[in-house]
Amino acid sequence: MPPERLTTTLDIHTTGPDDTRSVGEALGRLLEAGDVVLLQGDLGAGKTTMTQGLARGAGADDLVNSPTFVLVNEYQGRIKVYHADLYRLEQPDEVLALDLPGATLDGALVVEWPERGDGLLPAEHLLVRIDHASPETRRVRVEPHGPRASALARLLSDALAAAGGGGSEHPASGG
Ligand code: ADP
Ligand code: MG
């Protein structure tokens, strides 16, 4: 195998909710069943906003909102997208009961507040960390865990570059 970076961490700066949705949409176009995206960030960071883009990119037309009561929402597009929000869960067995790894058998899995399911979620995943930079801007860090996630990160980097820098994107030093 030629030498190549095993990980590509992306740092993306978004300048409003639509920009964050666009990044999500670019990633959503790349998702396949079995893929796992974990979304970290404070309340109001933009995890659900990002998921709206992910679902749209995966071809789902439905309106995406927070699965506050249902805990897991399912969107059907080119592939199925399962969207879970673990914010309200307190016990590991509540997380286990959702059988989130099982969702990856026939769809892509997107999880807000994955910290609540620490150790119970697939070890191979694309970690997306969203932080406030200003009221309207966010720093979006995309960090792959595992070979498929690394491929996704590289493809996302290419897609964002091809889209002509809607949002600045810098591949960080590879690991
Ligand atoms: P979370 O799911 O992380 O709690 P939401 O996506 O529900 O966050 O809410 C994010 C809020 O921040 C929305 O009201 C959105 O309009 C606003 N916002 C402002 N700028 C951005 C940005 N650059 N990216 C994402 N959301 C933003
Ligand atoms: Mg949310």
Side-chain angles (χ1 to χ4, degrees):
M1 263 176 58
E4 62 178 302
R5 290 182 305 183
L6 292 177
T7 60
T8 301
T9 299
L10 306 180
D11 270 310
I12 303 163
H13 182 81
T14 69
T15 55
D18 284 344
D19 202 11
T20 296
R21 278 186 206 98
S22 296
V23 172
E25 188 171 354
L27 178 56
R29 281 192 214 105
L30 301 168
L31 289 179
E32 298 293 347
D35 288 335
V36 179
V37 179
L38 304 185
L39 296 174
Q40 288 186 347
D42 294 340
L43 278 176
K47 302 179 294 298
T48 299
T49 301
M50 171 76 66
T51 305
Q52 290 165 350
L54 287 168
R56 193 203 292 159
D61 299 325
D62 317 76
L63 186 70
V64 171
N65 46 36
S66 303
T68 306
F69 299 106
V70 182
L71 298 175
V72 185
N73 285 340
E74 183 184 324
Y75 300 98
Q76 180 69 57
R78 174 180 55 80
I79 57 166
K80 271 187 191 162
V81 176
Y82 293 96
H83 175 210
D85 186 335
L86 306 185
Y87 183 64
R88 283 163 200 282
L89 299 190
E90 283 161 11
Q91 307 289 337
D93 55 337
E94 294 178 273
V95 178
L96 281 173
L98 298 177
D99 187 26
L100 296 175
T104 64
L105 297 176
D106 77 331
L109 174 65
V110 179
V111 182
E112 296 187 41
W113 294 100
E115 299 92 329
R116 301 280 197 273
D118 202 19
L120 304 173
L121 296 172
E124 299 209 356
H125 59 262
L126 195 65
L127 180 62
V128 177
R129 165 96 216 166
I130 309 176
D131 287 296
H132 284 78
S134 80
E136 287 291 311
T137 61
R138 301 290 186 270
R139 176 173 181 263
V140 179
R141 165 156 286 212
V142 178
E143 183 184 293
H145 294 261
R148 166 60 184 165
S150 293
L152 273 175
R154 278 194 293 270
L155 290 167
L156 177 62
S157 175
D158 292 347
L160 294 176
S168 50
E169 169 267 315
H170 320 279
S173 57

